[in-house]
Amino acid sequence: MESFPDRTHVWLWIRDYEAYLYAQVDRQGIACCPNRGSLHLHGAWAVHRLVRDGTDYVLFHSAASGRYLAQIEDSEDENYAYNSAVQCTYDSPEQDNVLFQARTAEDGSGDIFISNRRFGDWCYDNDTPMRWVVEAITQRLLPPELPVPPEPIAPQLVPIHGPLVPKYNRHSQLEPPQVELRRTIHYVRADDQGNFNPLQWRFLHFEGRSVFNLRRDLAAELGEANNVLGITLCARAGSSGRLTPLVINLPRNEKTMDIVVLTTESPAAQALVYPYVDAP
């Protein structure tokens, strides 16, 4: 377990697949990709260590979404059950499908085997345990800049043509603008230590995917519109999940997100760790 210091970030490489495990952008699926450079934050996993019933465990949550790596039973055949990897929330201290242990292979390769508290060894389809290589990710000295929001899509003039259209009606009409995604943001303001009152969650209806615009709108909601840079947004995946700095645009869906708002210069915000996934 020494390969997983708490609050660090790692890449998880599967030797036989020659590919990296990553969290898909839908915030639900897990997949593999041989090209680490294309994964960015989606391939980076934050390490969360804890002790349960006297046993040391490691949990992994995505540096992109904050959601936790988990295994679930997934079977289309009642005579054969297999386990699937997913992203999920960490909602209860008793939840065990997010708890993993690691042991080093005895052949001197440095590879590790990963096992889940509920399902045992993480195996290939033939029940052979997977061999993993853990690669540490260095920490950024400063948070990354948020992506610039896209330009608004203006309505387009679309010409009307065709023999069935009378001459006096052959002109351009205004095409409606593209419909933006709309989601509910469940947010709360934390104190300088990152603590908050669970009864003070509020809701914001937000259009689009821009995290830059979301920070602007939340600052306005909190009466801090003149100090947008003074707040830092963190995603929280479940009541037991750790905070993950939100530095990429929101996923292409309309699912509710939990956001904890920190003061940028507070000890809680300064303690956040940002993986340097684009390091040369």
Side-chain angles (χ1 to χ4, degrees):
M1 299 283 277
E2 61 274 6
S3 299
F4 302 108
D6 194 29
R7 299 186 184 276
T8 60
H9 290 84
V10 295
W11 306 105
L12 296 175
W13 190 71
I14 305 173
R15 179 170 295 282
D16 286 353
Y17 290 166
E18 296 187 346
Y20 291 89
L21 194 76
Y22 74 94
Q24 293 181 299
V25 296
D26 63 2
R27 302 175 75 241
Q28 294 180 331
I30 298 293
C32 298
C33 176
N35 182 10
R36 191 181 78 182
S38 67
L39 298 177
H40 305 293
L41 284 177
H42 293 283
W45 296 97
V47 175
H48 178 171
R49 295 287 294 269
L50 59 77
V51 176
R52 174 85 60 82
D53 300 328
T55 301
D56 195 14
Y57 291 100
V58 59
L59 298 78
F60 304 99
H61 56 106
S62 168
S65 68
R67 291 173 69 85
Y68 279 74
L69 177 64
Q71 286 188 307
I72 61 171
E73 187 172 314
D74 185 4
S75 177
E76 297 179 357
D77 183 346
E78 62 181 11
N79 298 315
Y80 175 71
Y82 60 93
N83 304 327
S84 292
V86 297
Q87 300 175 62
C88 73
T89 55
Y90 180 26
D91 292 309
S92 167
E94 303 305 316
Q95 186 175 338
D96 59 3
N97 66 337
V98 296
L99 302 181
F100 295 91
Q101 289 183 290
R103 66 183 188 277
T104 304
E106 297 179 355
D107 58 6
S109 64
D111 293 356
I112 65 169
F113 300 105
I114 295 177
S115 61
N116 183 270
R117 175 177 167 121
R118 181 186 298 180
F119 298 106
D121 282 344
W122 199 327
C123 296
Y124 301 106
D125 291 341
N126 62 1
D127 292 333
T128 301
M130 286 186 179
R131 300 178 74 98
W132 300 77
V133 176
V134 180
E135 300 176 11
I137 303 175
T138 57
Q139 178 181 341
R140 293 180 63 101
L141 297 179
L142 295 173
E145 295 289 334
L146 298 186
V148 176
E151 292 291 333
I153 302 175
Q156 300 294 316
L157 287 174
V158 180
I160 300 176
H161 300 292
L164 299 181
V165 181
K167 283 186 178 181
Y168 59 80
N169 200 29
R170 291 181 186 176
H171 56 79
S172 295
Q173 68 176 4
L174 202 61
E175 185 180 73
Q178 182 176 336
V179 177
E180 289 273 18
L181 293 173
R182 183 178 176 87
R183 80 186 75 225
T184 298
I185 300 296
H186 193 211
Y187 72 96
V188 67
R189 191 68 159 92
D191 64 18
D192 284 354
Q193 306 307 317
N195 302 312
F196 56 85
N197 186 337
L199 300 179
Q200 292 184 346
W201 286 94
R202 291 188 277 177
F203 295 92
L204 168 72
H205 296 295
F206 179 72
E207 290 188 355
R209 299 178 51 238
S210 171
V211 65
F212 188 98
N213 289 343
L214 176 60
R215 182 178 62 178
R216 175 202 64 196
D217 290 359
L218 283 175
E221 287 287 317
L222 293 165
E224 302 178 42
N226 294 327
N227 187 30
V228 174
L229 297 180
I231 64 172
T232 295
L233 308 187
C234 293
R236 191 186 74 148
S239 57
S240 295
R242 284 184 176 173
L243 299 185
T244 298
L246 187 60
V247 296
I248 62 173
N249 288 331
L250 311 188
R252 297 182 185 276
N253 59 46
E254 296 185 323
K255 294 184 177 180
T256 299
M257 293 183 65
D258 286 356
I259 302 295
V260 177
V261 182
L262 303 178
T263 300
T264 299
E265 298 300 326
S266 68
Q270 294 298 308
L272 295 172
V273 179
Y274 299 85
Y276 194 3
V277 293
D278 300 319

